Structures are given as structure tokens and as C-alpha cells.
Amino acid sequence: MSEPAMPSQKVEEVSYQILALSGNEAQALAMKQINPHMVAAYPITPQTEIVMTFAQYVADGLVETEFVSVESEHSAMSACIGGAASGARTMTATSAQGLAYMWELLPIASAMRLPIVMAVVARALSANLNIHCDHSDVMGARDSGWIILFCEDPQEAYDTLIQAVVIAERAKLPVMVVTDGFVISHAVHPVRVLPDEAVRHFVGAPQPAYSLLNVDQPITVGPVDLPDYFMEHRRQLTDAILEALPIVQQVGQEFADNFHTKPYGLIETFQTEDADVILVGMGSFCGTAQAAVEKVRREGQKAGLVKVRAFRPFPQSEIFKALRFAKVIGVMDRADSLSGTGGPLFTDIRAAFYDRLVTLKPQAVTSLVPCPSPKIVNAIYGLGGRDVTVPQIYQFIMELFDVAAGKTVSQTWRYLGVRE
Amino acid sequence: MIIEIRWHARAGQGAKTGANILAQAAIRQGKYAQSFPEFGPERRGAPVQAFNRISDEPFTIHSGVTEPDIVIVLDPKLVGNVPITDGLKAGGWIFLNAPIGAREAQERFGWQAFRVVTCDASGLSKRTLKRDIPNVPILGALAARAGVVALESLQTESISRLAKGRGTDDPVVKANLEALALGYEETDFADVHTQSLPSSGTKPPLPAWYELPVAGVIDRGGTAQVYQTGGWRLKRPELDLNVCVHCLMCWLVCPDSAILLSGARIIGIDYRHCKGCGLCETQCPPRARAIKMVEEEALQPAEKTP
Ligand code: SF4
Ligand code: SF4
């Protein structure tokens, strides 16, 4: 096994540039600076501007990337799998039905432990026909063995895509970098951009353990795996996912240290230490929610916010630590898992609390999990691009304070912002 | 009580069909029954297993049979190569397709702790069906000696399977019924002589998940050498170098690279890897006919690694 690609030493004199970029443009630029060996993508809708912009870089000779234009997302991921198995640094991007059409290949990429990096612009799944922001597409790929990182804004999208290359190659797992469709993908923000050399230095040269193209060492990848071995390989995969937690954390830290950015970890907390009510969410929602939390705080009530950056692997213990002293936790899902019991993030957060009760020793349970433990409720919001605003979130937080004060909850989940 | 049966055979010998007929016949008799194959590499000649459960009461188990009451062995050459007696209790039954006496089989294979029935099912099948399909006569033997199902149920089941569009007078149906009846009649039995089970030999444990190469990558070439497909052979190619014209056609088509060359001349066949597909025979030019497929000798153990 090769050593993980080591990022650069501290770059002292980096000349940053502030550019006004949309999420898509920021990620296309990051891809250009990464200069991957290969990008395979389906060039038509629901493809994103990321690939369109990147294709222009290829046409203009600004990157050395082999751009493979394929006839479907299914083929795009197939080509990426072949490329990555050959040792090439491989990237792609997609969205919505495109991600759904890739689905069959996603678990192949992860089980073959291929460090493919994919930018996903999160959008609703049809029907009805809708092209707007929603996390349903990503949630469909939730259990595919990919690392899934959510970004709040174009800056995070840029920084995270660069980190994702190193994370993928160190963890030997594919990574999805998720930005919210339109809200972030098409919204222009100031983005602090690194010089090309700094990015290339940070991502280093890939050092794949094997290459299909190495004729001196012929190998077989993805061979037949019957009942006597298949489960052992699954066990390896789940271990790899678990080992990816410290890798995501560590690469985020290295990035922040190198480039003096804000800290990047598994989750981000905002005023959670003494909070009675804490919201938990992912993606662009968190920025808007922060403004609502600030308003509540100004009015003298203790609200807080947890932003989940790493959704897979799920940082259960970090989230638990950040939330455990709250009275009420409001979990925000931009997708409904249609189980009749709420959204996917809600399921994971509830499980984090229950798992502590099972695994902690009785003394630790009483000292670490306050009794009664927090009430955890769920709001499903923003489906199909339904906007979510500061007043709405503020109102929801107020309702959670009522619950904290003893108001009964008849159903743990609800739709927020639906006409009723 | 559930009677559990494990079949050992090679793919193509009809273990799956045999298990299926047995279950259908048992169900016909009003019993609860189950049959299912173990799906492995589905290549003709590869060792396979099939399972039956038969009971007077309903049951819910869906797992493979690991502690059988009865073991049926369709290819005697599997003995010693696959774990025939694994999980078989003292006094359990072994039905062996072989043209030898039950006592002889017991002694030869160390099966004194088991009730052994031998039946030359292949011989009987060739006599009646003109083909080596040992599953039909062995079912007759099973009905005769272990009494799991009645011969009549097997007969009715065979007729209903085969008679569709043929009628009961059809020669195929008749030949099958005859094969079944002969299996019922021509068996040899040896009772238990000792209670001490043969040592099953400790198999080396398979590697743990953390000991395996990441993602199951096979990190070098040439590993097909390790897999000795010679054990799958039902027929073996015999090469007559006196008439071989060294056209190399056999070498070209052999899927297992089992034709041995020295320079551009054939020197022999690697029986450790030759799986007996017979392609070389079909491609050998008519004027040479230097390769002929012949039956593997009965009861000859499969080639071992030298
Ligand atoms: S039968 Fe002939 S062609 Fe087939 S594996 Fe054996 S040597 Fe090769
Ligand atoms: S095909 Fe027949 S004649 Fe030709 S090399 Fe093989 S054995 Fe000899």
C-alpha cells in the first residue's frame, strides 16, 4: 500500500485573490487548479455549469485533463471507475436525476475503493418536474459507501472540493461534495481563491496502490466474490468509512493551517455551549439559520446551531457531544425519507442519542446524558426549492422553546413552510 | 422431525434436479419439504451441493444443511476432495453412486460409523437412459433403504414431469421409471460398525477481513495456476503423440492452457488444470484425431497437487 498523498508544507506567502464566483464557478475553478488526469461527464441537463465551465478550460488548453464526454451519467461514472482503477486522478459532477441514473455505479466505485471526487449540485428528484434545491438526490446515494460532504456557500464548495481530492486518496474512498442547487450553485459570493501552485502543492501527486495500466504488475479488480469472501470485503468497507472520519478532520485541519482559512472539521457549531434549543442542518440552510439564531440570542434566549459537514461518514460522537445538553433539538431535513417517521438526518441524530445509552456504562450515562435527555424533533423544509427564510426559522425556534417549556409534541416531525 | 439431506455432486450430474424431484415427491405425499441448490461457480464438473429438508410438520428454516441425516454422493471421486461426512452424525446414511459393495465403500473411505448404501446409479442409468444421469436411480435407492419417500410418489412425480406432451407410453418416461425401479432394487447396504466418527481433518481457517487485500484486488497475474480445475474433470483427453501433427489447434482453443508445449511441439496435457471440456478433441483435425476424450476411471481420486 502506498503512503497517502501528503499535502504541502505550510505555504507562508500565498497571494490570495478575492473573486466574485457562483458555487458552480468556484468548483470549476477548483477543478482547474486541481488539474485532474481525467474528467468524465454527461454534458447535457441535469449536468451543472461546473462541467460546462471546466470543458471550456479543457478546450482553451488551461488544464491537461483528458475530458471524456459520455452519453449518460451511468457511463460517466463507469468511465470514472475505469480511470480511477488505472490510477488516474478522476473527477466528475452531476445533479438530481443524473445522480440517480449513476446510482448503480456508486457502490461499485466505493467497494473498489476508488478515490473519485464528484461535485453534486443537490436538486429535487422528479416527479413532479422540478429542478430546484432539495437533498433528495443525495439522500438516494446515502448508503452507497461514498464520503458525503455538505457545503454551505461557494467558499466552502471551493475549499472542500480541493480537500476532497486528498481525503479521497487517503481514505481510498470516493467523495461527493454537495452544494445546494441554485441557492449556492448559481449564487455569486466573494470567494477567496488560492494560487494554482498552492492548490497543486496541497493535493500533491496521486500515489495509487495499483494501476490497471501497469503491465509489469497485472492485477484484477472487482473480481467475483462469492459468499465465502464477500462479507469480509464489506466489513473492510465499513471500516474504511469509519477510518475516514479522522481523515476528513485531519485534511480540513491541514487546509486551514496551510491557507489560514476558517477551521474545517466534521461539524461546525455556533453558540451551542449553553444553548437550550439547538438546530441541526446541512448546506445553505445553516447560514440563514445562523442569522435567526443570532436574533434569538439578541433577544436573550439561548439558541444554537450545528452544521453537519460530514454526513457520511456520520460523526455520531461529535454531534452527540455538541447536542447533549440541549433541552430541545430541531433537526432540519431538506428531504423526506418517506418512511412516515421523518427525514434522514433526523433518523441519524436520534440514533446518536440512543446509541450512547446502549454503549455507555451506567455511571457515564447519568453523567454524560442529562436526564431527561433532549427532545429531538424534525422539520422537513425547502423541498423542490421552497425558500426558507430567517423569520420562518426564528418562528420555528420559538416553537421549540415552547416545547422546552413543557408544551407537548404529538408528532416528532412536521413540514415547515407548507401550506396547511 | 425434519430429515435433512445433503447432496454432493459435480455440476451437470443432476443433484439440483434430484433434490427437486425428491421434494416434489415428498410434497405429493402430503409432507412438508424443501429443496435448494448451493450456488457456486456454475461450471460443468465443479463440485456442487444441493439440500433437502423433509418433515411431517411445517418448518421455517432456510439455511443450508450442515448437520445432515443423509448424504447422497453422485460422484465417488469427490470422496476425499470435498467434506462428505462433515456434520453427519454416527448412524447417519451415506448413499454412494459407485459400482462397489457397501462394505467395501465403508472400509475404503473409513465410513464404519455410518449406514452406507451403494448403488451403481451411473451404470443403471446408462443401461436404461443411455446416459449417465445418476440422480434418478439414486432416488430409487433412497426410497428403498431410507424410506424418506415412497417409490410410488417418485414414480408419479417422474411421470408428471416427463409425460407432458409425451404420454406415459413414451420411451423416455418408461426408461426413467425403469431407472428408478432398478435403483430401488439394486442396492447394497452395510450397517454401522463403530460409533467413532472419522476425523474430518481440520481445514485451515479462511483469512479474517483485515487480513485480506483491500477490496479483494488480486495484485498479481498468473493466479489461475493456483486454482486446480483438474478436479472438475468428468472425462479426460488422451493424447496420442504418435499421430499428432503438431498443428497446435488444441493449444489454441484450450481455455485452461492445459496443453503443454515445448517450442512449437505438443508434449502432453496438464491434468492438474485440464477440466475435461473436450474442446481440444473437437478441434483436432480429422486426419490426426490425436486426442480422444475418455471416461475418467471409476473411483479414481481426482488428481492431487504434486
Ligand atoms: S479437455 Fe482439452 S481443451 Fe479442455 S481443458 Fe482439457 S486439455 Fe484443455
Ligand atoms: S490438435 Fe491434434 S494434431 Fe493438432 S496439435 Fe493438438 S493433438 Fe496434435
Side-chain angles (χ1 to χ4, degrees), chain B residues 3-197:
Chain B
I3 296 171
E4 297 186 300
I5 303 175
R6 185 173 69 211
W7 297 65
H8 289 279
R10 292 180 190 281
Q13 286 190 306
K16 182 182 158 193
T17 312
N20 196 304
I21 295 174
L22 180 58
Q24 302 266 9
I27 291 166
R28 236 170 233 290
Q29 244 174 274
K31 290 178 187 275
Y32 295 87
Q34 193 182 54
S35 87
F36 56 103
E38 170 212 60
F39 296 98
E42 296 194 24
R43 303 194 193 99
R44 198 179 168 79
V48 292
Q49 298 184 12
F51 308 106
N52 281 117
R53 283 194 179 85
I54 297 172
S55 171
D56 290 330
E57 303 295 326
F59 59 91
T60 55
I61 310 169
H62 299 285
S63 61
V65 170
T66 52
E67 293 187 348
D69 302 290
I70 299 172
V71 169
I72 299 172
V73 185
L74 288 187
D75 182 355
K77 278 169 277 145
L78 287 170
V79 181
N81 292 304
V82 302
I84 300 284
T85 58
D86 260 24
L88 189 64
K89 289 151 238 161
W93 294 84
I94 299 177
F95 284 79
L96 177 71
N97 165 27
I100 59 172
R103 199 61 216 266
E104 189 193 336
Q106 241 179 3
E107 271 155 27
R108 199 159 161 177
F109 303 123
W111 288 346
Q112 287 85 350
F114 308 114
R115 286 183 273 190
V116 176
V117 177
T118 54
C119 169
D120 183 15
S122 287
L124 298 176
S125 151
K126 282 181 207 159
R127 224 199 294 164
T128 50
L129 297 158
K130 313 293 173 218
R131 283 166 62 198
D132 185 359
I133 314 174
N135 60 4
V136 179
I138 210 88
L139 283 171
L142 185 73
R145 295 290 183 171
V148 183
V149 284
L151 179 65
E152 297 71 42
S153 315
L154 289 167
Q155 287 166 332
T156 324
E157 174 59 25
S158 298
I159 293 168
S160 84
R161 273 174 181 253
L162 297 167
K164 282 191 204 94
R166 290 179 202 254
T168 42
D169 285 344
D170 186 83
V172 176
V173 179
K174 281 193 163 157
N176 263 279
L177 291 177
E178 203 189 334
L180 200 56
L182 284 173
Y184 189 85
E185 282 150 25
E186 299 191 13
T187 58
D188 190 31
F189 172 69
D191 209 340
V192 176
H193 286 281
T194 166
Q195 288 299 312
S196 60
L197 292 168

Side-chain angles (χ1 to χ4, degrees), chain A residues 133-199:
Chain A
C133 180
D134 190 307
H135 293 167
S136 307
D137 53 356
V138 179
M139 293 306 150
R142 186 186 66 166
D143 300 340
S144 60
W146 283 57
I147 294 172
I148 303 177
L149 305 175
F150 274 85
C151 307
E152 184 188 315
D153 56 28
Q155 182 70 61
E156 287 192 10
Y158 172 83
D159 293 347
T160 302
L161 198 65
I162 296 166
Q163 293 171 41
V165 172
V166 182
I167 293 168
E169 287 168 16
R170 246 183 243 183
K172 297 188 169 57
L173 282 174
V175 180
M176 256 175 238
V177 176
V178 183
T179 47
D180 282 353
F182 293 94
V183 184
I184 298 305
S185 67
H186 287 61
V188 172
H189 289 237
V191 177
R192 183 167 168 275
V193 171
L194 302 170
D196 291 1
E197 317 78 64
V199 173

Side-chain angles (χ1 to χ4, degrees), chain A residues 123-401:
Chain A
R123 293 180 0 195
L125 290 179
S126 297
N128 291 342
L129 190 61
N130 176 293
I131 56 165
H132 293 280
C133 180
D134 190 307
H135 293 167
S136 307
D137 53 356
V138 179
M139 293 306 150
R142 186 186 66 166
D143 300 340
S144 60
W146 283 57
I147 294 172
I148 303 177
L149 305 175
F150 274 85
C151 307
E152 184 188 315
D153 56 28
Q155 182 70 61
E156 287 192 10
Y158 172 83
D159 293 347
T160 302
L161 198 65
I162 296 166
Q163 293 171 41
V165 172
V166 182
I167 293 168
E169 287 168 16
R170 246 183 243 183
K172 297 188 169 57
L173 282 174
V175 180
M176 256 175 238
V177 176
V178 183
T179 47
D180 282 353
F182 293 94
V183 184
I184 298 305
S185 67
H186 287 61
V188 172
H189 289 237
V191 177
R192 183 167 168 275
V193 171
L194 302 170
D196 291 1
E197 317 78 64
V199 173
R200 285 188 196 171
H201 199 192
F202 185 80
V203 297
Q207 292 170 7
Y210 307 105
S211 165
L212 277 180
L213 298 181
N214 181 359
V215 289
D216 296 327
Q217 191 197 4
I219 58 164
T220 306
V221 296
V224 172
D225 219 1
L226 293 175
D228 52 352
Y229 279 93
F230 187 85
M231 203 159 161
E232 276 66 30
H233 291 131
R234 276 289 128 158
R235 183 65 188 78
Q236 285 185 340
L237 186 57
T238 205
D239 194 58
I241 281 284
L242 214 49
E243 283 185 5
L245 276 172
I247 294 174
V248 172
Q249 176 92 45
Q250 188 192 343
V251 174
Q253 177 95 45
E254 287 164 11
F255 188 86
D257 290 350
N258 266 292
F259 303 124
H260 312 296
T261 65
K262 66 168 188 171
Y264 278 106
L266 300 165
I267 61 169
E268 217 177 293
T269 58
F270 180 71
Q271 308 216 322
T272 49
E273 292 73 22
D274 61 344
D276 294 324
V277 168
I278 303 181
L279 293 187
V280 193
M282 301 193 288
S284 63
F285 164 84
C286 297
T288 315
Q290 186 175 323
V293 167
E294 279 166 357
K295 182 169 150 58
V296 176
R297 283 269 170 184
R298 277 198 302 274
E299 292 169 6
Q301 278 187 292
K302 291 174 182 162
L305 172 69
V306 170
K307 174 161 83 182
V308 178
R309 179 177 185 240
F311 177 59
R312 288 289 179 272
F314 192 69
Q316 204 186 47
S317 91
E318 284 75 6
I319 289 178
F320 172 74
K321 280 187 198 127
L323 296 178
R324 69 188 144 132
F325 293 123
K327 293 200 175 83
V328 176
I329 298 164
V331 182
M332 310 300 296
D333 267 296
R334 201 158 195 158
D336 185 350
S337 60
L338 301 174
S339 61
T341 60
L345 185 60
F346 182 45
T347 301
D348 284 341
I349 302 242
R350 274 183 297 180
F353 274 81
Y354 181 72
D355 286 4
R356 292 299 122 169
L357 289 175
V358 174
T359 55
L360 287 175
K361 295 201 175 66
Q363 319 82 287
V365 168
T366 45
S367 66
L368 290 175
V369 186
C371 195
S373 72
K375 286 204 170 92
I376 311 175
V377 294
N378 186 208
I380 293 168
Y381 74 97
L383 303 187
R386 176 66 52 90
D387 202 14
V388 61
T389 62
V390 175
Q392 254 177 345
I393 300 168
Y394 173 87
Q395 184 54 39
F396 182 60
I397 295 174
M398 287 303 141
E399 287 170 29
L400 297 186
F401 274 107

Side-chain angles (χ1 to χ4, degrees), chain B residues 239 244-250 266 283-285 288 290-291:
Chain B
L239 170 65
C244 169
V245 297
H246 300 284
C247 66
L248 303 193
M249 279 308 291
C250 55
I266 306 287
Q283 295 305 307
C284 186
I291 293 184

